[in-house]
Amino acid sequence: MAGGRRRRQHFSRIHAFSCGKASFKGEHSLIGGPGFSRVVHCNDPDSFEAGVLNYGSNYVRNTKYTLATFFPKSLFEQFRRVANLYFLLCAILSFTPLSPYSALSNVLPLVLVIGVTMGKEALEDWRRKKQDIEVNNRKINVHRGNGVFDNAKWMDLKVGDIVKVQKDEFFPADLILLSSSYEEAICYVETMNLDGETNLKLKQALDATSNFPEDTSFQTFKAVINCEDPNANLYSFVGGLQLEEQQYPLTPQQLLLRDSKLRNTDFIYGVVIFTGLDTKVMQNSTDPPSKRSKIEKRMDKIVYYLFSVLVLMSFIGSIFFGISTSEDLENGRMTRWYLRPDDTTIYYNPKRAPVAAILHFLTAVMLYSYLIPISLYVSIEIVKVLQSVFINQDLHMYYEEADKPAHARTSNLNEELGQVDTILSDKTGTLTCNSMEFIKCSVAGTAYGHGVTEVERALAWRKGTPLAQEVTDEEAQVEDSTEARTSVKGFNFIDERVTNGNWVNEPHADVIQKFIRLLAICHTAIPEVDEETGGISYEAESPDEAAFVIAARELGFEFYERTQTSISLHEFDPISGRKLERTYKLLNILEFSSSRKRMSVIVRNKEGKLLLLCKGADSVMFERLAKNGSEFEEQTKEHINEYADAGLRTLVLAYRELDEEEHNEFNMEFTKAKNSLSTDRDEMIEEVAEKIERNLILLGATAVEDKLQSGVPECIDKLAQAGIKIWVLTGDKMETAINIGFACSLLRQGMKQIVISSEGPEIKALEKAGDESAVAVAFKANVLRQISEGKELLTTSSENSEALALIIDGKSLTCALDDDVKDMFLELALGCASVICCRSSPKQKALVARLVKIRTGNTILAIGDGANDVGMLQEADIGVGISGVEGMQAVMSSDIAIAQFRYLERLLLVHGHWCYRRISSMICYFFYKNIAFGFTIFFFEVYASFSGQAAYNDWYLSLYNVFFTSLPVIALGVFDQDVSARLCLKFPLLYQEGVQNVLFSWIRILGWALNGVLTATLIFFFCIRAMDHQAFRKGGEVVGFEILGTTMYTCVVWVVNCQMALSINYFTYVQHLFIWGGIIFWYIFLLGYGAMDPSISTTAYKVFIEACAPAPFYWLLTLFVLVSSLIPYFTYASIQLRFFPMYHQMIQWIRTDGQSDDPEYCHMVRQRSLRPTTVGYTARFEATSKRFEERSEGH
């Protein structure tokens, strides 16, 4: 239908809003004042007036760097690491005579480390840049003048441009709707990327602009819009349009937001009012943060402590050196004659001993730099990149259906995946598939539908569940039925008693007929006929409404046409057995709202009867039943409870017949309320509807499955068993969010709910009075009261060990996040087993993430799939984007992208645990080997009278961390496993080792540091005592300085590599190659480097081949020192494993003893729970069993 307009449909008569009509009362009087100063010259963006305003371009970027800022910002990132800053200082000093080693051997490793890390940062940011280029270069039709529209790039749009958006295209900026392909200038918009909702929103242009049906209409169009300044509020807009000297008020009804999508409308025309960073979606986003893991931050603290030790050692050494130097020349006698104190440089001048001591301090600061591992950072970078490759290539996280693997977009946070304390999850598209399925119903007190929900299936397979066989039988029955029919999206109802017209044989066939007819009529869906196939699809305002219409069609009542005054069906006639066309005159629609919790339609049938058809939540429907209309109430309530326990969304269906006089009176009041322009218009409509929606006759209830993504309940259960808390933050209504909470077992029957809601009678009364300041004060007091009551309930439940759930809506959350309230709110939230925040704006999601992260200090993971989740993903310690069906905004701003929520289980419990363990062990070992090496240098300094002489050759020093000991650590960081992936998932509690940081605690770090000092002590003193006066070579020569250095270095290389071999849990050929290869490479290096010219090899010249290798003492001493140095660690590890095993060691026992399949033994290990599981289907099953036992005892 592109190019033409659709026929007029009087939606103002169908929907309870006044089409394009409003007044300049209230907020519109603020236009032109502070905060409302934006002026848009429509269709004239290049005019002088528009140019003076200088609004921003439509270019957006999500990158961390630009070309200009990359080097300064990236260098800042590198040198904010204290170790790199220290090494830079040492590199500068290495060019002075103070240096104890050559400049080249010092500068080269630093340049390598910084270069590799900056290259990695550049590569990651380039990927983000490519995604930005794709978005900014999308095409859109823009008016170029004279009624001609031409393609332009999104980034070239200006404020005031007229654009034409086609069906299924995204809006390139924030627009004001001018007209559309419908005559009444309406359009349907999908805002999933903004608020997570999949239901379509109806927008309508002003009457004044609705008569611009085609491109040429804009040839002479000129108008001026005055409106609010850019802000983050998605749900409000205040503005006015001046057209031909007439003023028209603009409301959110005309606002089309960037990143929402045009649906069910061939095209629209709109004028750009906010571009780029001024758009509401970008106002809700934050700059990409520079995230660092908690382990890396603690690692910096260790470096600070080591640096403090280094300075202390240098200070002590310089004092002793100063004293010794001052005593070198007394009364013409020389104590250390070999230094020639009577003819020396300033560095050893006894007459200027204080200066010599200060200069020695600088030399010592450089010499002891090997205490701090320069290759630590670059090694960790390499390991994290390789870990990310393994994450990306994990076939268990590959979604074959959409061909989407997991994608670690940044590798900085791998170990954080093993320390997550709280998950903040979006709902729509993250937990759910955005599809509803009609699965069961209760009609006339009889339950129909054999379908098994995911929650029932998950519960049934728990060990000891009596339903298991029953559910298995039902599933088999369902599978047999589904083989015979083709799958229909939205309809998963199997019951031969009702399908294929068999309902006519049921005892209450007349009630079933009314029930299905109500489903086909009571809605606001629009039918779309496929011209090629003739099939009918439906565009509905909510996915469950679409499921009802589809269910009615499948059961014989096909809705096929809607006009402004009628609804037409193909109805199954029980008498003739054929389908008949029936038209119902549509008189009124009473819309659904979160306060009403129901919707109704009033129609006149062919016989002239007036019918009110109503569907709504059980909490409001049962109280509206007539005395003679509640025949099936008890059975229906029982079925509803069963459905709710199975995680299904339920609605109650009822009807009544109206007489003419009652309807005429209602219609007059309803029309008057609809056309009212006062602030309490909605309340007036509700009051009128309340009067007629009573004395209803109950028909039954529907049960719709808000289809969870595959594996969500199981995943949440595993994460809950691992001790991870899960919060849901959604833009959806409270009822929807609660239903999903039940579906994925975050909520369960019997769990007390603390509901903090903005819907209260006293608040509504104040809003009616129009006193905004009084409303704000009362509203905050109301929220505080509800939080205080919740805290009291929390105290009571803690004594009774009951689990609580906190549910809060968006308005209340705004108050709860105020500075003086947020601590109370957080205390309450942290005490609850589940937290669900409804109607949350993107900004609120980000603020909640910030609050939990900062106040608890724990690791927070946020997961979402839409642009509305970007702020939350960036604010959390880890942002996980779901690469779902709609848009890539969340993925572009995330740290890790996965295709399905269920992959979070493996990402955290397997990869997270492994990465945390590997990085922790790797860092501890790094500091151990460098302390062991650095203290041998210090002890030699003491032995050599703090002369500043290095114990080892320059290149021995430089290559220690690069070649001889680094590769085994990298192998540890990439390949080591304490337990297998299968056991990680079987014993999810193992994950708590990371949450509680037991593998990188200060005690563990200190233990490794002491081990390093002990190793250095044993190596140095054994070597020095054994070689001090001992004849070493055949000719009787004693050991020289170069032989002592080489022997000590050999012992260090052997000990630290064998220590690594003892620490590894899971050997691969790579580890063997790197550990033993590192030792062999040391000997090869000695041969090669020693063979070079003495001017190059200096003290290493032929030291191995001529001195060390021929001497048996060299080999015996190496073996003796090796064994002696490893005995302390081996003894400690054996005692700890035998008497104080850690959780992973217990699981290793199970695997070693072959008891991993012994249920009793595994259960005993699981009982070492660090916190009780309060959510998930395991907790749900335990709670149900407990209730059952209590009932049994009661009887």
Side-chain angles (χ1 to χ4, degrees):
M1 250 194 261
R5 306 198 79 180
R6 299 194 183 189
R7 67 173 175 272
R8 178 176 292 270
Q9 296 191 11
H10 290 283
F11 284 85
S12 55
R13 297 183 59 176
I14 295 174
H15 293 272
F17 64 74
S18 219
C19 289
K21 296 174 184 174
S23 69
F24 269 95
K25 296 177 184 176
E27 286 184 316
H28 285 87
S29 61
L30 299 171
I31 292 173
F36 297 86
S37 61
R38 197 172 186 87
V39 180
V40 178
H41 296 272
C42 304
N43 211 15
D44 199 8
D46 297 317
S47 66
F48 174 76
E49 293 87 350
V52 169
L53 296 168
N54 196 27
Y55 294 133
S57 74
N58 201 38
Y59 180 85
V60 296
R61 72 177 183 90
N62 290 288
T63 55
K64 191 191 292 187
Y65 307 107
T66 64
L67 201 59
T69 62
F70 174 71
F71 275 100
K73 201 172 175 182
S74 183
L75 284 171
F76 169 75
E77 288 286 330
Q78 299 310 311
F79 288 112
R80 76 174 183 172
R81 288 171 169 168
V82 64
N84 286 348
L85 201 59
Y86 165 64
F87 288 123
L88 178 65
L89 176 67
C90 288
I92 294 167
L93 289 174
S94 68
F95 288 95
T96 69
L98 289 168
S99 177
Y101 38 64
S102 66
L104 182 63
S105 66
N106 188 253
V107 172
L108 201 62
L110 179 65
V111 171
L112 182 69
V113 167
I114 300 298
V116 168
T117 313
M118 285 177 67
K120 174 181 156 289
E121 287 280 318
L123 184 64
E124 287 180 352
D125 216 45
W126 171 243
R127 289 176 187 149
R128 294 191 195 101
K129 176 70 176 173
K130 286 199 292 187
Q131 290 171 329
D132 284 345
I133 289 170
E134 188 273 322
V135 170
N136 287 312
N137 284 280
R138 287 178 184 169
K139 295 291 195 295
I140 190 73
N141 280 332
V142 181
H143 186 229
R144 297 300 192 189
N146 300 320
V148 176
F149 280 75
D150 191 17
N151 275 341
K153 294 176 182 176
W154 277 27
M155 63 181 178
D156 295 331
L157 287 183
K158 298 175 184 174
V159 173
D161 272 332
I162 305 291
V163 297
K164 183 179 183 180
V165 182
Q166 306 284 350
K167 184 179 179 180
D168 293 330
E169 286 184 349
F170 288 102
F171 299 121
D174 288 353
L175 313 175
I176 290 295
L177 176 62
L178 297 175
S179 64
S180 79
S181 54
Y182 286 104
E183 287 187 18
E184 275 211 354
I186 63 160
C187 71
Y188 286 93
V189 174
E190 186 183 86
T191 59
M192 184 184 154
N193 274 334
L194 304 178
D195 56 19
E197 292 189 12
T198 51
N199 53 304
L200 302 182
K201 310 289 193 301
L202 192 63
K203 300 284 185 177
Q204 184 165 34
L206 297 171
D207 284 342
T209 63
S210 63
N211 55 351
F212 294 99
E214 52 194 32
D215 295 359
T216 53
S217 309
F218 291 92
Q219 194 165 350
T220 58
F221 175 77
K222 286 285 187 292
V224 175
I225 292 175
N226 295 276
C227 65
E228 64 188 23
D229 294 335
N231 61 72
N233 197 327
L234 294 173
Y235 305 109
S236 71
F237 178 74
V238 178
L241 182 138
Q242 183 180 336
L243 180 64
E244 296 173 355
E245 298 184 0
Q246 287 288 319
Q247 286 282 354
Y248 303 93
L250 294 170
T251 66
Q253 196 60 42
Q254 289 83 46
L255 184 64
L256 306 173
L257 299 177
R258 180 187 172 112
D259 283 335
S260 48
K261 184 187 273 189
L262 184 66
R263 299 298 294 270
N264 197 34
T265 312
D266 291 333
F267 61 86
I268 63 101
Y269 293 102
V271 60
V272 177
I273 56 165
F274 297 125
T275 52
L277 299 176
D278 291 341
T279 57
K280 288 185 181 282
V281 67
M282 293 305 290
Q283 289 279 309
N284 271 285
S285 69
T286 53
D287 288 334
S290 189
K291 295 182 181 180
R292 300 180 72 214
S293 70
K294 289 181 174 59
I295 284 186
E296 193 172 330
K297 290 172 185 173
R298 178 167 286 190
M299 189 170 73
D300 276 354
K301 287 182 182 176
I302 300 170
V303 172
Y304 283 125
Y305 292 139
L306 280 178
F307 185 70
S308 303
V309 170
L310 184 153
V311 170
L312 182 64
M313 287 162 59
S314 302
F315 182 70
I316 292 169
S318 63
I319 290 173
F320 279 101
F321 178 77
I323 293 168
S324 300
T325 302
S326 66
E327 295 172 353
D328 265 353
L329 193 63
E330 289 184 7
N331 304 320
R333 292 184 62 195
M334 295 179 286
T335 308
R336 296 186 297 182
W337 52 269
Y338 50 85
L339 295 179
R340 288 300 304 273
D342 58 331
D343 181 21
T344 187
T345 61
I346 191 171
Y347 304 108
Y348 297 96
N349 192 342
K351 296 173 184 176
R352 301 181 67 184
V355 177
I358 292 169
L359 294 173
H360 176 273
F361 173 79
L362 295 174
T363 300
V365 164
M366 298 171 70
L367 185 60
Y368 302 145
S369 66
Y370 296 96
L371 273 174
I372 299 168
I374 189 170
S375 64
L376 171 61
Y377 288 109
V378 75
S379 297
I380 286 176
E381 296 289 351
I382 292 167
V383 162
K384 286 183 177 182
V385 168
L386 292 173
Q387 286 175 349
S388 297
V389 170
F390 284 139
I391 290 172
N392 296 346
Q393 294 185 348
D394 188 343
L395 288 175
H396 294 285
M397 295 196 294
Y398 170 66
Y399 188 44
E400 192 172 359
E401 199 174 302
D403 188 27
K404 286 180 179 175
H407 181 207
R409 301 182 71 252
T410 176
S411 56
N412 291 345
L413 305 167
N414 293 353
E415 66 274 25
E416 289 278 85
L417 291 170
Q419 296 184 280
V420 174
D421 177 76
T422 305
I423 293 173
L424 307 179
S425 175
D426 176 41
K427 182 192 78 67
T428 309
T430 303
L431 297 176
T432 64
C433 299
N434 301 329
S435 66
M436 305 282 185
E437 288 192 343
F438 187 92
I439 191 167
K440 295 183 182 185
C441 64
S442 168
V443 189
T446 305
Y448 296 100
H450 301 305
V452 182
T453 68
E454 290 182 19
V455 173
E456 287 175 315
R457 193 175 295 115
L459 274 168
W461 282 106
R462 292 295 299 151
K463 185 188 169 193
T465 308
L467 291 171
Q469 187 58 44
E470 182 186 327
V471 171
T472 307
D473 294 342
E474 280 191 14
E475 276 191 284
Q477 191 179 344
V478 168
E479 281 170 13
D480 292 341
S481 305
T482 48
E483 281 176 13
R485 67 178 182 88
T486 55
S487 175
V488 177
K489 186 181 178 184
F491 186 74
N492 191 22
F493 180 84
I494 297 108
D495 195 323
E496 292 300 324
R497 294 173 294 171
V498 179
T499 53
N500 302 320
N502 294 335
W503 57 265
V504 299
N505 303 317
E506 286 295 291
H508 295 283
D510 57 327
V511 181
I512 297 176
Q513 183 182 30
K514 289 172 183 172
F515 180 90
I516 303 171
R517 184 183 286 141
L518 191 151
L519 289 179
I521 296 173
C522 186
H523 57 78
T524 56
I526 307 286
E528 278 201 328
V529 181
D530 189 309
E531 294 176 3
E532 291 180 9
T533 63
I536 297 176
S537 60
Y538 303 105
E539 289 286 359
E541 288 193 11
S542 65
D544 47 355
E545 190 164 79
F548 293 142
V549 184
I550 291 166
R553 182 188 69 195
E554 296 300 313
L555 296 175
F557 286 68
E558 182 182 53
F559 160 58
Y560 70 92
E561 187 178 30
R562 177 193 288 280
T563 70
Q564 71 245 29
T565 57
S566 67
I567 283 182
S568 300
L569 309 180
H570 290 133
E571 282 191 11
F572 179 79
D573 181 34
I575 299 169
S576 65
R578 290 181 299 144
K579 284 197 174 181
L580 305 175
E581 288 190 11
R582 285 200 125 198
T583 300
Y584 295 83
K585 189 173 182 184
L586 182 60
L587 302 174
N588 305 98
I589 288 185
L590 312 182
E591 288 184 332
F592 180 90
S593 73
S594 55
S595 56
R596 280 169 40 76
K597 298 183 181 177
R598 63 191 181 278
M599 83 159 286
S600 303
V601 297
I602 299 174
V603 297
R604 190 187 298 276
N605 66 12
K606 192 170 71 173
E607 290 77 28
K609 286 183 182 177
L610 284 169
L611 301 173
L612 181 140
L613 309 177
C614 185
K615 63 183 182 190
D618 57 319
S619 58
V620 296
M621 290 296 286
F622 285 126
E623 64 191 34
R624 285 172 170 73
L625 297 179
K627 286 183 180 177
N628 64 342
S630 51
E631 181 184 347
F632 319 112
E633 184 174 354
E634 288 308 311
Q635 302 99 303
T636 306
K637 279 183 176 177
E638 193 176 315
H639 294 152
I640 284 174
N641 289 334
E642 289 173 11
Y643 296 155
D645 211 30
L648 298 173
R649 303 174 62 160
T650 58
L651 281 182
V652 174
L653 274 57
Y655 82 105
R656 67 176 284 215
E657 291 187 16
L658 304 175
D659 57 51
E660 291 291 341
E661 187 181 337
E662 185 182 13
H663 177 256
N664 289 338
E665 185 182 334
F666 160 78
N667 200 43
M668 284 174 61
E669 291 182 19
F670 187 63
T671 306
K672 182 181 176 183
K674 271 208 306 182
N675 293 333
S676 169
L677 294 175
S678 63
T679 53
D680 58 350
R681 174 175 167 274
D682 291 342
E683 286 76 8
M684 289 170 65
I685 291 172
E686 282 185 28
E687 283 176 19
V688 176
E690 186 83 26
K691 292 177 186 176
I692 202 163
E693 290 171 325
R694 56 188 172 80
N695 297 325
L696 303 173
I697 298 168
L698 178 65
L699 294 173
T702 60
V704 174
E705 185 176 16
D706 191 349
K707 195 72 176 171
L708 292 172
Q709 284 187 13
S710 173
V712 165
E714 293 87 346
C715 176
I716 285 177
D717 185 62
K718 269 288 197 302
L719 297 174
Q721 286 183 56
I724 300 171
K725 295 184 279 291
I726 301 164
W727 294 21
V728 175
L729 283 70
T730 176
D732 263 2
K733 304 182 192 75
M734 187 175 282
E735 296 81 7
T736 312
I738 289 172
N739 283 321
I740 279 296
F742 278 105
C744 59
S745 297
L746 285 173
L747 303 176
R748 61 176 180 269
Q749 295 294 95
M751 182 187 271
K752 286 185 180 174
Q753 295 179 11
I754 301 170
V755 180
I756 301 176
S757 172
S758 56
E759 301 286 336
E762 63 276 13
I763 303 297
K764 283 190 175 180
L766 285 168
E767 284 176 345
K768 219 176 213 180
D771 188 348
E772 289 187 15
S773 58
V775 169
V777 172
F779 186 70
K780 190 164 187 176
N782 182 46
V783 171
L784 276 167
R785 178 182 57 76
Q786 292 180 85
I787 291 175
S788 301
E789 289 171 0
K791 286 180 70 177
E792 288 172 17
L793 192 59
L794 186 62
T795 308
T796 312
S797 71
S798 298
E799 294 167 2
N800 303 333
S801 300
E802 287 180 337
L804 293 180
L806 173 65
I807 298 149
I808 184 169
D809 66 13
K811 284 186 180 178
S812 304
L813 189 59
T814 305
C815 266
L817 293 173
D818 285 347
D819 289 340
D820 55 336
V821 185
K822 62 185 178 186
D823 287 336
M824 280 179 68
F825 166 68
L826 185 62
E827 187 182 341
L828 173 61
L830 292 175
C832 293
S834 297
V835 179
I836 298 176
C837 301
C838 320
R839 280 292 179 201
S840 309
S841 69
K843 204 84 167 179
Q844 284 176 326
K845 289 184 178 185
L847 289 172
V848 169
R850 183 184 300 171
L851 174 67
V852 180
K853 179 177 74 172
I854 292 172
R855 295 302 167 113
T856 65
N858 296 325
T859 302
I860 307 301
L861 179 145
I863 179 167
D865 72 318
N868 59 319
D869 302 313
V870 167
M872 176 175 74
L873 299 185
Q874 292 182 339
E875 193 60 57
D877 294 300
I878 309 166
V880 176
I882 299 282
S883 49
V885 187
E886 290 297 336
M888 293 293 285
Q889 285 83 350
V891 170
M892 285 166 65
S893 302
S894 67
D895 303 303
I896 295 168
I898 55 177
Q900 297 268 288
F901 183 88
R902 69 176 186 269
Y903 298 145
L904 201 58
E905 176 187 340
R906 187 173 178 87
L907 183 68
L908 298 187
L909 302 189
V910 178
H911 290 286
H913 172 72
W914 283 348
C915 290
Y916 163 73
R917 177 181 177 75
R918 289 163 178 170
I919 296 289
S920 301
S921 303
M922 181 181 169
I923 294 170
C924 287
Y925 177 79
F926 241 113
F927 285 118
Y928 155 77
K929 73 183 183 65
N930 275 68
I931 287 170
F933 186 57
F935 267 83
T936 59
I937 298 172
F938 174 70
F939 291 144
F940 183 79
E941 277 297 284
V942 176
Y943 181 75
S945 188
F946 297 100
S947 61
Q949 174 64 52
Y952 308 115
N953 182 283
D954 288 1
W955 286 101
Y956 291 4
L957 292 168
S958 293
L959 299 180
Y960 175 77
N961 278 315
V962 178
F963 289 120
F964 305 132
T965 59
S966 274
L967 292 179
V969 198
I970 290 172
L972 166 78
V974 176
F975 298 109
D976 196 36
Q977 295 177 15
D978 52 349
V979 298
S980 66
R982 185 178 70 86
L983 292 176
C984 281
L985 296 172
K986 189 167 186 174
F987 298 94
L989 194 65
L990 177 64
Y991 188 79
Q992 278 292 309
E993 286 192 344
V995 177
Q996 299 190 3
N997 204 17
V998 295
L999 301 180
F1000 201 59
S1001 62
W1002 286 113
I1003 293 174
R1004 191 174 175 87
I1005 293 163
L1006 186 62
W1008 275 101
L1010 291 174
N1011 189 23
V1013 174
L1014 182 60
T1015 297
T1017 306
L1018 292 171
I1019 290 172
F1020 177 78
F1021 285 103
F1022 276 140
C1023 285
I1024 209 77
R1025 290 298 171 210
M1027 304 179 83
D1028 202 0
H1029 304 294
Q1030 179 71 37
F1032 187 73
R1033 295 161 75 176
K1034 282 183 181 178
E1037 298 95 331
V1038 293
V1039 169
F1041 156 71
E1042 69 283 354
I1043 296 173
L1044 174 65
T1046 302
T1047 306
M1048 277 203 305
Y1049 197 94
T1050 303
C1051 291
V1052 170
V1053 169
W1054 266 100
V1055 169
V1056 297
N1057 277 292
C1058 289
Q1059 174 71 70
M1060 165 63 72
L1062 284 178
S1063 306
I1064 285 174
N1065 291 287
Y1066 181 74
F1067 267 102
T1068 65
Y1069 70 89
V1070 178
Q1071 267 116 331
H1072 283 295
L1073 177 66
F1074 285 174
I1075 290 171
W1076 314 122
I1079 295 170
I1080 293 167
F1081 183 68
W1082 158 240
Y1083 290 116
I1084 294 170
F1085 172 78
L1086 267 180
L1087 287 168
Y1089 184 54
M1092 291 182 184
D1093 189 90
S1095 62
I1096 298 171
S1097 57
T1098 60
T1099 57
Y1101 182 66
K1102 296 201 174 179
V1103 70
F1104 180 68
I1105 199 159
E1106 287 189 0
C1108 296
F1113 189 75
Y1114 168 78
W1115 301 103
L1116 288 171
L1117 182 60
T1118 302
L1119 179 62
F1120 175 75
V1121 170
L1122 172 64
V1123 173
S1124 304
S1125 300
L1126 293 179
I1127 283 175
Y1129 173 81
F1130 190 80
T1131 306
Y1132 165 79
S1134 301
I1135 293 170
Q1136 187 263 324
L1137 179 65
R1138 180 68 184 84
F1139 298 105
F1140 313 100
M1142 296 173 77
Y1143 196 69
H1144 71 271
Q1145 291 170 329
M1146 292 182 70
I1147 297 169
Q1148 287 171 346
W1149 279 359
I1150 292 176
R1151 183 190 63 197
T1152 308
D1153 297 347
Q1155 292 175 309
S1156 59
D1157 295 319
D1158 183 342
E1160 288 185 16
Y1161 195 81
C1162 292
H1163 183 68
M1164 182 191 75
V1165 173
R1166 285 198 191 96
Q1167 291 312 299
R1168 284 194 54 181
S1169 182
L1170 304 169
R1171 66 191 291 270
T1173 304
T1174 51
V1175 298
Y1177 62 74
T1178 299
R1180 189 176 196 154
F1181 167 67
E1182 287 168 0
T1184 306
S1185 302
K1186 191 177 177 183
R1187 286 205 306 273
F1188 181 75
E1189 285 169 13
E1190 287 170 357
R1191 281 181 201 157
S1192 302
E1193 287 170 10
H1195 291 304

